[in-house]
Amino acid sequence: MVRSDYLPLLLVPALAFLALPLIGNPTTWVTLTIAALAMGMMIFVISSGLTLVFGLMDVLNFGHGAFIAIGAYLAMTTLLPMAGWMQADSLTLNLAALGLAMLVAMAGTGLLGWAFERVIIMPVYGQHLKQILITTGGLIVAEQLIHVFWGGDQKPMALPTALRGAITIGDVAIEKFRLLAVAIGLVVFFAMSLILNRTKLGLLIRAGVENGEMVEALGYRIRRLFVAVFVAGSALAGLGGTMWALYRETLTAGIGSEVIVLVFIVIIIGGLGSVGGCFLGAILVAQMANYTGYLAPKVALASNILLMVIILMWRPQGLYPVAKR
Amino acid sequence: MINAVLSGDLPRSRVLSAALVVILVVLASAPFIFDGAQAINTSAKICVFIVLVASYDLLLGYTGIVSFAHTMFYGIGGYGVGLALYGWGATWSSAATGLVLALAAGIVLALVIGLFSLRVRAIFYAMVTLAVASAFAILAGQLSDITGGEDGRSFRVPELLRPGFRLIDAPVLGTQITGRVIAYYIVFVSALVLFLAGLRIVNSPFGRVLQAIRENDFRAEALGYRTVYYRTAANCLAAGMAVLAGALNALWLRYTGPDTTLSFAIMLDILLMVVIGGMGTMYGAVLGATLFIVAQNYLQKLMGTASKATEALPLLPNLLHPDRWLLWLGILFVLSVYFFPTGIVGKLRQRRG
């Protein structure tokens, strides 16, 4: 990865200032921009694992959406008996309940990711066509199993008391949950950057993305590394799914398919396999979604396709292409 | 003679031939042997899906490209004809104009997407098409002034195809020849012709190049074939066929809307049909589509009965609930990708050899 390439970073402020005259009202613009940051963080949490898995092992998991949905459902199930903590007027209790639910979601989806890797993906390494088909099949089965266990109707997913509503600074209203989402997203991003850039494990992962064969030749078992990354990626999808469901405050079995389109756009824009690109791509996509969602809601998703097309015309391999591809 | 009609690609299995003949005969005589509306609707749906699945097989099975935008082209066909008949009156000329516009739009869109993303890699194309198709579906649902939004549009078809129309006053072989029967035969004959055309394409030199690209694109390129050109051409052909299938479907249903043409569920159905029938064999499309749609219509009733019978047990009635039939098909799909990637047709042909 080229470290000194800061040009794509300018896209975020560029897009923001381009939107300002179109939106007109500065307070609305600030609210929208902060909403975009929060949404971008959630999408980043969901997509980071997917892009790393692809970079490391050339596996693209179309079933990633299932982990998003299952994580959200697990969190909802955990939150049910903790209704007392959620309704208590205490930030500590609220956060404890949420934290516990997120941990359960992550543990559940991580475990599921491990099983998914064993059963579904292991037999089809190196065969793209079969990978796409098999993981899509896995997605169908997982979505149907959600219907079996939790039923198909829409479930409410209420925010805890202390996180409801908004903080107003001057004229600008910022929803509290969005601040939490930004915080979690930043923690995940910095933790990931630290692990990838400052630990031996991260060094091996980065080396594996660049040239897996060489890492194997040096005596490291890249398969174990890959399973670990896959499990971590699935757990992050579960975490992201929980956040997304709380953000929407409702939950349906289709939540995974709904987000996965944005996730794909993000990892294409960022450059398949690149975590930094994924972070930037997530913010850009969320900005686009929020600005156009306000200006012309009917074309919100189409505008993101346009964004993808423009970026790919500029850099056909994504913002931060990974060296070997 | 048969050899020429089938472009030299014979079924090569006795069981398969027998199944194909049965399907052909039943579909050809459906209005005369079935009474109820449901059976005729099922037959027409099978005809439309054979074309749709065969065109998808041209991409997936023969060229090795995974596209998630096939329903988009199907929808373009449906909306093209549907909106033309709705807006410009129920005449043949408006239907034809709508069809031509839809074909042009579909092929241009396929060309643009193909040139844009097929250069890179199969996996890239799958993601791009998924994104574009979702955006298209949402757009079609949102622009309700033009498309009728989520409700879709019901429209009138030309006089000749209406249920009230009588070709001959007296019934033929006990069946009144109404406009619906004529519409059915238009669907059936078009589907047959398009299927045979598909068979012709995959067995032409062009089709051989596509198969070479599927097997090893690097080698095909080294032999001097411009793989981007061939892939894009296959993409456009498949898109064109899907547009025609969508137009047939709209003519038959006299309705077009997002749920019947654009939804992701239909895309998954097409995938299941291709894989279960047999990738890379046009006949797989016939078998896959027929089995799937018959199962969809009749298996669900069976599952309902089974679900009721096991009511006392935990979880089992939920697993057997008629709405959960996709669960079992999904499992079947995963298993068939592993254990018999050539599908039913491949298995049948293997037994012979």
Side-chain angles (χ1 to χ4, degrees), chain A:
Chain A
M1 194 184 290
V2 187
R3 284 267 158 245
S4 57
D5 183 9
Y6 293 119
L7 207 55
L9 293 180
L10 294 177
L11 283 175
V12 174
L15 194 57
F17 287 113
L18 195 71
L20 183 55
L22 291 173
I23 292 167
N25 185 348
T27 43
T28 319
W29 177 76
V30 174
T31 309
L32 284 175
T33 309
I34 290 175
L37 279 181
M39 184 178 161
M41 293 301 162
M42 284 187 271
I43 298 177
F44 166 70
V45 169
I46 294 171
S47 41
S48 53
L50 191 64
T51 197
L52 255 190
V53 163
F54 181 82
L56 196 61
M57 218 66 175
D58 215 15
V59 168
L60 189 68
N61 180 10
F62 272 74
H64 202 68
F67 297 125
I68 302 172
I70 289 175
Y73 273 91
L74 282 175
M76 183 200 75
T77 316
T78 323
L79 286 176
L80 278 183
M82 291 195 294
W85 282 18
M86 291 288 279
Q87 279 150 17
D89 195 17
S90 137
L91 187 63
T92 334
L93 277 183
N94 288 170
L95 284 181
L98 267 192
L100 200 64
M102 284 174 179
L103 277 182
V104 170
M106 287 175 76
T109 47
L111 205 67
L112 201 74
W114 180 75
F116 200 80
E117 202 277 336
R118 291 250 107 164
V119 180
I120 305 265
I121 295 180
M122 204 161 69
V124 288
Y125 273 134
Q127 300 162 281
H128 274 161
L129 195 88
K130 279 195 177 178
Q131 266 170 25
I132 301 177
L133 295 180
I134 284 267
T135 51
T136 309
L139 176 70
I140 301 177
V141 173
E143 250 181 29
Q144 291 295 318
L145 282 176
I146 290 178
H147 280 284
V148 172
F149 288 111
W150 281 288
D153 43 339
Q154 190 170 354
K155 302 259 189 290
M157 184 106 175
L159 281 170
T161 326
L163 289 173
R164 275 182 216 149
I167 304 169
T168 37
I169 305 167
D171 286 342
V172 183
I174 305 166
E175 281 179 38
K176 290 176 192 165
F177 180 70
R178 287 181 180 162
L179 290 179
L180 181 72
V182 172
I184 294 177
L186 285 178
V187 168
V188 170
F189 179 65
F190 284 114
M192 218 159 165
S193 306
L194 267 183
I195 292 172
L196 282 175
N197 293 320
R198 295 276 183 274
T199 64
K200 188 173 173 191
L201 181 72
L203 185 71
L204 284 174
I205 292 176
R206 278 184 299 136
V209 172
E210 292 286 326
N211 191 339
E213 247 176 29
M214 190 59 95
V215 177
E216 278 188 311
L218 290 171
Y220 295 99
R221 295 199 187 165
I222 199 157
R223 236 206 80 70
R224 280 195 193 162
L225 216 67
F226 173 66
V227 174
V229 171
F230 195 92
V231 168
S234 312
L236 282 178
L239 172 65
T242 310
M243 287 159 70
W244 190 267
L246 283 167
Y247 169 71
R248 285 317 225 28
E249 299 190 42
T250 52
L251 187 50
T252 54
I255 183 175
S257 336
E258 179 189 304
V259 192
I260 202 74
V261 175
L262 289 179
V263 169
F264 280 150
I265 297 178
V266 164
I267 64 176
I268 292 174
I269 287 181
L272 290 168
S274 151
V275 174
C278 171
F279 186 72
L280 204 56
I283 295 177
L284 286 174
V285 163
Q287 273 184 311
M288 204 72 180
N290 274 284
Y291 295 147
T292 47
Y294 175 76
L295 292 169
K298 289 181 178 178
V299 295
L301 188 56
S303 70
N304 263 318
I305 304 275
L306 188 71
L307 177 73
M308 178 174 77
V309 169
I310 293 171
I311 287 183
L312 288 182
M313 288 208 289
W314 178 40
R315 293 197 170 173
Q317 304 277 332
L319 291 175
Y320 287 114
V322 173
K324 76 171 172 186
R325 291 167 229 286

Side-chain angles (χ1 to χ4, degrees), chain B residues 125-147:
Chain B
Y125 185 72
M127 290 195 288
V128 170
T129 49
L130 183 68
V132 172
S134 323
F136 188 86
I138 289 177
L139 217 55
Q142 295 278 334
L143 299 174
S144 40
D145 298 344
I146 309 170
T147 61

Side-chain angles (χ1 to χ4, degrees), chain B residues 5 24 27-31 43-44 46-48 50-51 180-198 241 244-245 248 251-252:
Chain B
V5 171
L24 180 70
L27 287 181
S29 51
S43 307
I46 290 175
C47 291
V48 169
I50 285 175
V51 177
R180 292 302 274 165
V181 176
I182 298 171
Y184 177 79
Y185 277 104
I186 289 180
V187 171
F188 171 74
V189 172
S190 314
L192 187 65
V193 169
L194 283 170
F195 176 75
L196 291 175
M241 263 175 95
L244 292 174
L248 289 179
L251 269 187
W252 173 255

Side-chain angles (χ1 to χ4, degrees), chain B residues 128-337:
Chain B
V128 170
T129 49
L130 183 68
V132 172
S134 323
F136 188 86
I138 289 177
L139 217 55
Q142 295 278 334
L143 299 174
S144 40
D145 298 344
I146 309 170
T147 61
E150 296 297 330
D151 298 334
R153 285 267 192 248
S154 290
F155 49 86
R156 290 161 68 83
V157 288
E159 177 79 46
L160 183 68
L161 305 179
R162 286 181 202 157
F165 179 81
R166 298 276 181 279
L167 189 66
I168 318 166
D169 278 333
V172 179
L173 299 172
T175 304
Q176 191 69 256
I177 308 292
T178 62
R180 292 302 274 165
V181 176
I182 298 171
Y184 177 79
Y185 277 104
I186 289 180
V187 171
F188 171 74
V189 172
S190 314
L192 187 65
V193 169
L194 283 170
F195 176 75
L196 291 175
L199 210 54
R200 182 66 261 173
I201 291 170
V202 298
N203 288 297
S204 67
F206 173 77
R208 290 284 178 270
V209 178
L210 295 185
Q211 280 158 279
I213 293 173
R214 173 193 68 191
E215 293 302 324
N216 190 335
D217 59 343
F218 188 66
R219 194 175 291 176
E221 184 95 56
L223 285 172
Y225 295 108
R226 294 280 297 273
T227 50
V228 181
Y229 166 77
Y230 280 93
R231 279 188 174 136
T232 310
N235 200 28
C236 292
L237 270 174
M241 263 175 95
V243 168
L244 292 174
L248 289 179
N249 191 43
L251 269 187
W252 173 255
L253 289 179
R254 294 172 287 170
Y255 163 79
T256 187
D259 287 340
T260 53
T261 52
L262 290 172
S263 75
F264 191 62
I266 296 179
M267 193 62 243
L268 291 180
D269 289 352
I270 298 174
L271 259 179
L272 289 166
M273 290 180 208
V274 170
V275 170
I276 291 171
M279 282 186 278
T281 56
M282 279 283 152
Y283 299 115
V286 181
L287 248 55
T290 309
L291 285 177
F292 189 93
I293 291 167
V294 170
Q296 195 174 31
N297 280 328
Y298 299 99
L299 187 81
Q300 280 179 309
K301 280 182 195 152
L302 195 73
M303 284 179 71
T305 328
S307 176
K308 285 226 175 62
T310 53
E311 215 155 13
L313 302 168
L315 208 59
L316 208 57
N318 265 349
L319 284 172
L320 292 174
H321 191 273
D323 287 348
R324 291 293 78 73
W325 76 298
L326 205 55
L327 171 71
W328 299 103
L329 275 172
I331 293 173
L332 181 65
F333 174 80
V334 172
L335 292 179
S336 57
V337 175

